Amino acid sequence: MDMTNKTPGHELVLVREFDAPREKIYKAWTTPELMKVWFCPEPWKVTQADLDLRAGGRCNTVMEGPNGEVIPNEGVYLELVENEKLVFTDAFTEGWVPTGKPFMVGVVLLEELPGGRTRYTAKALHWTEADKKTHEEMGFHEGWGKAADQLAALVARM
């Protein structure tokens, strides 16, 4: 399922180059204990990560904020290509149960570069322009950027 160019007007994109092989980045995306280290921009944190790494498998996290905020995120994986691609959505929960209001499809692409480096592309594809705007106003660029910085720091230590 290639969704990378289907809805350009509804997508937000973050691109970075990491000084780490894509295997380490993929591992950080698919290992619950590692996700807890980097997935939320500090001072927020992931307190739970329940992952079933297969198409249709659960992709559930719980994020907690510094003032006691608790935000559960339930979804499923749509596609996983080891060390290359992850696609997930909140449109469904495990067992393909539709959610009340889907917000986005996330796409993470890991492109191998010379010298053991990786081009990291993270996309959020939204159903509507309004959802895209809401995500931008929620701080997509800052939040996903900080999380990517935390991911880069983690994989540099692995």
Side-chain angles (χ1 to χ4, degrees):
M1 174 183 303
D2 182 7
M3 302 173 63
T4 55
N5 293 314
K6 300 272 192 270
T7 57
H10 296 174
E11 73 181 29
L12 297 169
V13 181
L14 174 81
V15 179
R16 296 282 177 88
E17 288 189 9
F18 289 171
D19 192 18
R22 58 190 184 163
E23 293 82 6
K24 287 184 179 183
I25 299 165
Y26 189 86
K27 182 176 181 179
W29 264 97
T30 58
T31 306
E33 292 309 311
L34 294 177
M35 280 189 81
K36 291 178 183 179
V37 174
W38 72 269
F39 190 70
C40 283
E42 293 177 350
W44 284 73
K45 60 185 173 183
V46 171
T47 55
Q48 295 177 39
D50 183 16
L51 313 176
D52 180 5
L53 302 171
R54 61 183 176 83
R58 72 191 160 279
C59 178
N60 300 337
T61 60
V62 175
M63 297 183 278
E64 293 188 15
N67 300 313
E69 306 94 334
V70 177
I71 301 177
N73 295 289
E74 292 186 342
V76 296
Y77 290 104
L78 299 175
E79 182 180 12
L80 293 114
V81 179
E82 188 171 2
N83 303 322
E84 293 180 23
K85 183 179 194 180
L86 298 107
V87 182
F88 52 93
T89 186
D90 64 352
F92 301 96
T93 58
E94 190 172 22
W96 299 109
V97 177
T99 60
K101 168 74 170 83
F103 185 63
M104 67 170 232
V105 173
V107 179
V108 175
L109 304 171
L110 305 173
E111 181 185 343
E112 189 173 0
L113 298 175
R117 295 176 52 78
T118 302
R119 177 173 293 113
Y120 172 84
T121 303
K123 298 181 179 190
L125 309 176
H126 302 87
W127 268 257
T128 67
E129 287 285 339
D131 286 344
K132 174 187 172 182
K133 184 175 167 104
T134 297
H135 203 178
E136 284 179 306
E137 291 170 354
M138 289 169 55
F140 168 84
H141 297 288
E142 180 184 3
W144 284 40
K146 285 174 101 176
D149 292 343
Q150 292 166 186
L151 174 58
L154 171 65
V155 296
R157 294 189 307 266
M158 291 172 57

